Structures are given as structure tokens and as C-alpha cells.
């Protein structure tokens, strides 16, 4: 009965998420797990579409061994595929182990099983937050053992030895038993057996050969500079790969760049080009090379995998839409059939990306489920607040999904991604759960108002990470890095570092609140679900206005007999609800956004029309919409702080559009689908605590 028409200018947003409808087909598609060798049609050309297959993991945290559909991982970071088709996964969570996914689809624990630094056979060995993996020609598995600041080797029979490193952080070239690393995360090996290491916190690329460690490139200070050997600079290099030509490729995370190192150690930054201006890497974390010399890059936070041809042409292989958005593709590796394997650390899954030839059917583009499981358990916070007292009440000043502007006068610039707790500038920010640093680039945006710390599943923003108001380190786990002028230029905290609930992790900056996010980018969930102690919300939302606008954002105002006149030939209509919320204890002037909104059509006597027996809840902020354009789909014009210096935000929701569950569907209500006559439009709104409100608008369709 209801036919929807796209609003002008919104069609591109719909195309960007149309592939989501394919996701429901994913689990019903059967594919042959067994490796039957290389594809028969020869090398794949660049720029092909791709689909994502689920190799193992159900999106919940593990570890759980078993068949691939029921196995679980916890921070599956590095990945490598052996000649027999078995995939090895470095798991940095509580297991601190190496998992093996055999060609038959069974997942087992191959080595390790608890945190420590012990050589030995299989389960007797100990790792500390293992990260990158590589396999040499003899089948030995090489491990960047990040938390132990060492490089480990696992023989085909599961015996673990230490290849290089002392177990203490630092920097030293020389004999492998005396060499030192600092939070190494990436590792690669060439055909001759030389091992290349992305030594993250030393900002160097190291080489292990002939029983010694040497520096290939990097001067040891974070920065960005091309040049020979020690004259080059990197910023927290996290991934490394080496091609058959001896060229070393580096995922230079902090510089948002892909770097190239020649065999003589000369570093350059290749110029990238292509049809997609957004295909340049953003915080690259992983890198791999295929048989044609193309480079593949996984991004830390944008959920994409990029394909870069030898001539520099960049292509977004996966991640343009939610059907293919990964959470943190920390590990990439090719198998002998030319398929790209991905360890998606923050989604607790292992995938394969298969490029599809034009000759194949469209059905082959359907994707498996991606991202963390929708019902994954929230972090165990015990209801703590990020400020003292952690069991007391604090004023809430922002919720998930609120409209936000920018400093250039745009009132609908982006959606608010977290939960804001007011606090005085300089107040210590406290961890709300026991956790381990999982990201290799956990502390970011130093000195900016958006400075933040990613602590496992939780992100704390708007603070001086690891520092007092005077800029001193809170404790030795937070490493202050001086710039060329001698002043602190950044703060670092290594992957694998443990922090306990209640420990200070920073101090509030000039934003005067803590911005708390739950889940990785693209999969952020509403922090209200953490159930903060003594948080009470008994206040029903308030609806200030319910209005109809035409496709050009012009309000409809003509009335007849107390009813709004709506032409059935006028085209599509916007349904705009202006509403806001409050919570107990907040200042009366504090307006918050809503959690869910919808609409319902009734006959003149109040009877719901067919299809509207219950309200259509079109907007739901249980999960953060990852699309940049979502703010203009969820909110109508004149939303946000529309007057400079105004103290109140206007929340004008366009409930004719769909913004929920990762979907983004801009549409208009078409009155022409109904006969002429009198009707009632009802708007329904709900806050995160379940309080509801409704408002009705009598209509006369002519």
C-alpha cells in the first residue's frame, strides 16, 4: 500500500547500501571448503568485484575449538596459509596461542594456551599477545610475539623456539640472542629465509638473517620521511610483506601510508591513483602481495581491504558497504589458489576474499556474515562509570546517534558515536573494565580535542591519554615520545598491555566530558546497555512537533476542518518529528537524542491501516550507522545547532527514512497510494530506557 520514492540527491546513499540485501543469502550458500588448487582460468585481472566467505568463527569471543561454524576466536590477529592448505591464526586474547584451521574445516589449538614467555612443545609453550605470522620454505611458522618483544619460530611438529629477542623491550641490533625489539607486530619471510619485522614502537623495519638482526630502514623516531636506510622515518609500522622481487612493503599505520623499501634499504612512498579518490589507505594495519605483484592493504578502522596494482592504481576490493565491512582486518595472507585470507581481529572471525570473474553468476557475489555477532556480549564493566566515583551518578550529556555539526557552520555534519559523561577539565578518566590493549595504534590524535584510547572493545575519547593535566605520564605503561624540539609529541601504549578497572588512563581535556564508545568502528553499540550504576531514566521523551515536508524541504501548512491538507498528486512527502529526551538528575536545559522513532497510519476513526498494525520503527540507534551520509538521512533540515551560539540542539528526525541495523534507506511517503479521505498520522518515539511518547496529526488527502 505504501510506495516509497527516493528523495532527490539521496539515490547514491541507497546504492551504497543496496548490497546489504545480499547478506541474508550468505549462510544459505554452500561452497566447497576443500582446496582444489589454482583457478583454471589463469591469473585474475585487477579491479574485479569480490565476495567474502566465512572460513571460521561465529563472531563471538572464544577460544573454542571445533568445526569452523562453531569455533570461536578472541583477537585473531595474524594469519598464514601453509602449502597443504592449513591456515594458522595468531590469537592475542586470553589464549595467547596459535590456532590451526585444517583443510577439512576443523579449528584446533596448535601451540601456546596461556600468557608467558616459554619455549617448548605445543601447549607447553607460552606467548604474550602474538600478532603477525609468516611461513618459510621449510614450513616453519614465524611469529611476531608482540607482548614478549620477540620473534618466535614454530616447527611443523609444534615445537616453539625463540628466533630473536630477549623478552625485554628496547632496541639493539646484533646477534639474535642479544637483539631487542619493541612491540613487533608484522612479519614476513622471503624465499631465501630472510625474516622481515615491522618493529612498531622502534619505528623500524628489521631483518633477521645468518643469526643476526639488523635495521633495514628507519631512524627509530616516529615521523614521515623517505630516503636511504636510517634516514627514513615511519610511524608505528604494523604490517610488512616482501615480494618475489625483494621489495618490502610496509603498512605505515600512523602515517596513513603504504611505504616501499628497495633491497638496499631506500624507502619511498608510491603515488597512488585510480577512479576512486577515496581508495588511499587510512591507518593501514596489514599487507600482503599476490602472484601478480599486486599489494593488498587492510585498514585499522574503516573495515576495508584495498588492492593496489604495480602501476599504483588503487581499488577498494571490499568494504564499500556494510555487507563487506570488516571490523579490523589485522592479518592478510594468500593461499596457493590465489585466495586472500583475512583475520578480522575485532570481529573474532576468519574470512576468505574471493575475486569473482565476469563470467560468474551474480549469485557468487553474495557475502557471508561480517563483523562481530549482533548479540555479542557487552564488556563486563560491572556498571562502572569512567569517572570517580565509579558507582555514583554522573550527568549524561550525549547519547548515540545525536546530530552533530562542525566548526564550518554545517549543523548536520555527522552522527554522535558514543555516550558522553560530563566531567571537569583535568579530572582523571578511569577504566571501566579489565582489558588488554588489542590495537597496535591504541592511542591516537595526540593533542587534538578528539584524542582517544582504544582499550579492547571500549574507546575513551576527549582526554589526555596516559597523562596528567601537566603532561606527565600517569605510569610507565604510557610511553611519552619527544619530538625533534624535545617536547612531548605523542603517547604510546603497546598492544598486549593490561589495564584493570578503576585504573586512570588519562585526564579530561578541554571538551569537559568523556566520550565512551562500545565496539569497533562501524559496529558501535549503544553504551546505555552497559547499565551504569544509579543511572535512572523515568522521564518520557517530549515531541515538540510532527510535520510533513515536501521533497524540497518546504513545510505543508494548509488546513481544512482542523486537518492538514495533503495533495495525493504532489509526489513524495517527508515525515518529520521534532523530539528530545531527558534523564533523571540532569540539568533541565540538557536535551538528549532519542533511541528509536517510527510512524503509523490510522483511519479517521483511529483504526490502524493494513501494514500499520504496529508502528514502523524506522530509526533505531541501538547500533551506530557507519555511513557518513546517515546524518542527512536520519535528520531533516534545520536539525542540530542551527544558530551560532545557541545552547540547544534541535532533533528533527525524518522518520520516513530507514536508519537501523546497519541499513540506510532514504525514501519518501507517497500519499497517492491511499484513496482520498481523512486519516491520522501517528509518530511514536522511545528512549533507551523504554520510555515512550506519541503524537498524532490529522490528515486530509485530496
Amino acid at each position: 500500500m505504501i510506495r516509497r520514492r527516493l528523495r532527490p540527491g539521496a539515490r547514491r546513499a541507497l546504492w551504497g547500501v543496496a548490497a546489504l540485501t545480499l547478506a541474508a543469502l550468505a549462510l544459505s550458500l554452500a561452497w566447497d571448503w576443500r582446496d582444489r588448487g589454482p583457478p583454471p582460468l589463469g591469473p585474475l585481472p585487477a579491479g574485479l568485484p569480490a565476495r567474502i566467505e566465512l572460513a571460521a568463527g561465529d563472531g563471538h569471543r572464544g577460544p573454542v575449538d571445533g568445526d569452523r561454524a562453531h569455533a570461536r576466536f578472541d583477537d585473531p590477529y595474524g594469519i598464514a596459509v601453509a602449502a597443504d592448505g592449513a591456515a594458522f591464526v595468531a590469537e592475542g586474547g586470553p589464549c595467547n596461542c596459535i590456532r590451526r584451521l585444517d583443510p577439512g574445516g576443523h579449528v584446533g589449538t596448535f601451540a601456546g594456551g596461556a600468557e608467558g614467555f616459554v619455549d617448548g612443545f605445543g601447549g607447553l609453550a607460552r606467548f604474550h599477545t602474538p600478532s603477525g605470522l609468516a611461513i618459510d620454505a621449510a614450513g616453519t611458522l614465524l611469529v611476531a610475539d608482540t607482548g614478549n618483544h620477540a620473534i618466535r619460530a614454530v616447527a611443523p611438529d609444534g615445537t616453539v623456539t625463540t628466533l630473536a629477542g630477549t623478552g625485554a623491550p628496547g632496541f639493539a641490533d646484533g646477534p639474535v640472542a642479544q637483539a631487542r625489539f619493541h612491540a613487533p607486530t608484522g612479519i614476513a619471510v622471503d624465499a631465501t629465509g630472510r625474516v622481515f619485522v615491522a618493529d612498531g614502537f622502534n619505528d623500524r623495519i628489521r631483518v633477521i638473517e645468518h643469526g643476526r638482526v639488523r635495521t633495514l630502514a628507519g631512524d627509530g623516531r616516529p615521523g614521515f620521511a623517505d630516503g636511504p636506510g636510517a634516514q627514513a622515518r615511519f610511524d608505528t609500522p604494523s604490517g610488512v610483506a616482501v615480494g618475489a622481487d625483494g621489495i618490502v612493503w610496509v603498512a605505515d599505520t600512523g602515517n596513513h601510508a603504504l611505504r616501499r623499501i628497495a633491497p638496499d634499504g631506500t624507502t619511498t612512498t608510491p603515488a597512488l591513483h585510480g577512479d576512486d579518490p577515496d581508495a588511499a589507505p587510512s591507518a593501514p594495519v596489514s599487507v600482503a602481495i599476490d602472484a601478480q605483484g599486486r599489494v593488498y592493504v587492510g585498514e585499522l578502522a574503516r573495515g576495508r581491504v584495498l588492492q593496489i596494482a604495480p602501476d599504483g592504481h588503487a581499488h577498494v576490493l571490499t568494504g564499500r558497504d556494510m555487507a563487506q565491512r570488516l571490523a579490523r582486518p589485522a592479518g592478510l595472507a594468500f593461499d596457493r589458489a590465489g585466495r586472500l585470507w583475512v583475520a578480522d581481529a575485532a570481529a573474532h572471525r576468519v574470512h576468505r576474499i574471493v575475486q569473482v570473474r565476469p563470467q560468474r553468476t551474480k549469485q557468487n557475489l553474495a557475502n557471508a556474515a561480517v563483523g562481530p555477532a549482533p548479540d555479542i556480549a557487552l564488556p563486563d564493566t560491572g556498571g562502572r562509570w569512567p569517572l570517580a566515583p565509579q558507582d555514583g551518578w554522573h550527568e549524561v550529556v550525549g547519547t548515540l546517534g545525536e546530530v552533530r555539526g562542525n566548526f564550518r557552520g554545517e549543523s548536520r555534519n555527522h552522527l554522535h558515536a558514543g555516550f558522553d559523561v560530563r566531567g571537569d577539565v583535568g579530572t582523571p578518566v578511569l577504566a571501566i573494565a579489565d582489558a588488554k590493549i588489542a590495537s597496535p595504534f591504541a592511542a591516537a590524535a595526540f593533542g587534538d580535542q578528539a584524542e582517544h584510547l582504544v582499550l579492547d572493545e571500549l574507546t575513551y575519547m576527549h582526554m589526555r591519554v596516559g597523562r596528567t593535566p601537566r603532561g606527565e605520564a600517569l605510569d610507565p605503561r604510557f610511553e611519552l615520545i619527544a619530538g625533534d624540539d624535545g617536547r612531548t609529541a605523542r603517547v604510546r601504549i603497546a598492544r598486549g598491555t593490561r589495564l584493570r578497572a578503576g585504573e586512570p588512563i588519562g585526564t579530561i581535556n578541554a571538551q569537559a566530558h568523556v566520550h565512551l564508545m562500545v565496539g569497533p568502528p562501524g559496529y558501535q553499540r549503544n553504551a546505555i546497555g552497559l547499565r551504569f550504576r544509579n543511572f535512572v531514566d523515568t522521564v518520557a521523551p517530549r515531541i515538540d512537533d510532527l510535520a510533513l515536508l515536501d521533497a524540497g524541504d518546504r513545510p505543508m501548512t494548509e488546513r481544512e476542518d482542523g486537518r492538514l491538507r495533503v495533495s495525493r498528486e504532489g509526489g513524495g512527502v517527508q515525515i518529520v518529528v521534532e523530539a528530545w529526551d531527558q534523564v533523571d538528575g540532569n540539568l533541565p536545559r540538557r536535551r538528549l537524542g532519542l533511541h528509536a522513532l517510527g510512524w503509523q497510519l490510522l483511519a479517521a476513526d483511529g483504526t490502524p491501516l493494513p501494514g500499520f498494525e504496529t508502528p514502523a520503527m524506522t530509526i533505531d540507534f541501538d547500533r551506530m550507522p557507519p555511513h557518513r551520509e546517515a546524518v542527512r538521512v536520519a535528520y531533516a533540515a534545520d536539525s542540530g545547532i542551527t544558530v551560532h551560539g545557541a545552547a540547544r540542539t534541535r532533533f528533527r528526525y525524518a522518520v520516513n527514512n530507514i536508519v537501523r541495523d546497519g541499513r540506510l534507506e532514504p525514501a519518501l511517503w507517497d500519499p497517492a497510494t491511499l484513496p482520498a479521505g481523512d486519516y491520522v498520522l501517528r509518530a511514536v518515539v522511545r528512549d533507551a530506557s523504554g520510555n515512550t511518547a506519541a503524537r498524532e496529526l490529522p490528515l486530509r488527502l485530496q
Side-chain angles (χ1 to χ4, degrees), residues 144-344:
D145 193 1
T146 306
N148 283 322
H149 311 285
I151 306 303
R152 315 290 291 282
V154 188
D157 68 353
T159 299
V160 178
T161 57
T162 299
L163 179 64
T166 66
F171 170 73
D173 283 338
V176 292
Q178 300 171 20
R180 286 194 174 190
F181 301 86
H182 194 177
T185 51
I187 194 166
V189 61
D190 68 11
T192 69
R194 286 184 299 181
V195 178
F196 299 84
V197 178
D199 194 4
F201 278 20
N202 278 322
D203 300 294
R204 291 177 167 101
I205 305 304
R206 317 281 293 280
V207 180
I208 306 172
E209 59 180 335
H210 307 307
R212 299 183 66 85
V213 177
R214 63 181 175 89
T215 296
L216 177 66
D219 74 350
R221 293 176 293 172
F224 182 81
D226 288 336
Q231 295 182 27
R233 281 192 177 183
F234 302 88
D235 186 344
T236 322
S238 299
V240 64
V242 58
D245 55 3
I247 300 297
V248 176
W249 295 89
V250 180
D252 193 2
T253 308
N255 282 321
H256 302 278
L258 176 67
R259 313 292 293 280
R260 179 185 186 274
I261 307 176
D264 66 358
T266 300
T267 300
T268 56
T269 304
L272 304 182
H273 61 88
D275 301 328
D276 187 345
D278 197 34
S282 173
V285 68
S286 54
V287 61
I289 304 172
D290 69 11
Q292 287 74 48
R294 294 183 289 247
V295 179
Y296 296 75
V297 178
E299 295 179 312
L300 185 66
R302 297 183 70 180
R304 306 185 307 175
V305 175
L306 311 179
Q307 179 193 67
I308 300 169
D311 65 357
H313 188 281
H315 165 69
V316 178
L317 183 66
T318 60
R320 291 182 182 275
D321 54 63
M322 282 306 299
Q324 293 190 326
R325 185 184 182 114
L326 303 172
R328 185 186 298 146
L332 300 176
F334 279 94
D335 64 17
R336 66 189 182 95
R339 294 165 296 200
L340 182 61
W341 290 68
V342 183
D344 192 355

Side-chain angles (χ1 to χ4, degrees), residues 639-684:
S639 294
I641 297 178
T642 56
V643 178
H644 180 70
R648 291 182 177 177
T649 301
R650 295 188 71 188
F651 299 106
R652 291 171 48 80
Y653 299 91
V655 299
N656 48 284
N657 298 327
I658 295 177
V659 182
R660 61 172 301 152
D661 304 324
R663 297 165 59 197
L664 190 69
E665 299 178 16
L668 297 175
W669 170 49
D670 188 356
T673 59
L674 293 175
D678 291 345
Y679 300 89
V680 175
L681 173 67
R682 175 184 291 162
V684 178

Side-chain angles (χ1 to χ4, degrees), residues 617-638:
M617 302 305 287
T618 52
I619 297 176
D620 192 316
F621 291 118
D622 183 62
R623 169 178 158 188
M624 177 66 184
H627 319 285
R628 186 71 180 182
E629 64 272 21
V631 65
R632 291 179 170 269
V633 179
Y635 289 93
D638 295 327

Side-chain angles (χ1 to χ4, degrees), residues 1 54 58 82 145 190 211 280 297 304 320 354 366 383 430 446 458-459 668:
M1 184 183 72
L54 179 64
D58 65 0
D145 193 1
D190 68 11
V297 178
R304 306 185 307 175
R320 291 182 182 275
V354 179
L430 309 177
F446 180 87
L458 297 167
T459 299
L668 297 175

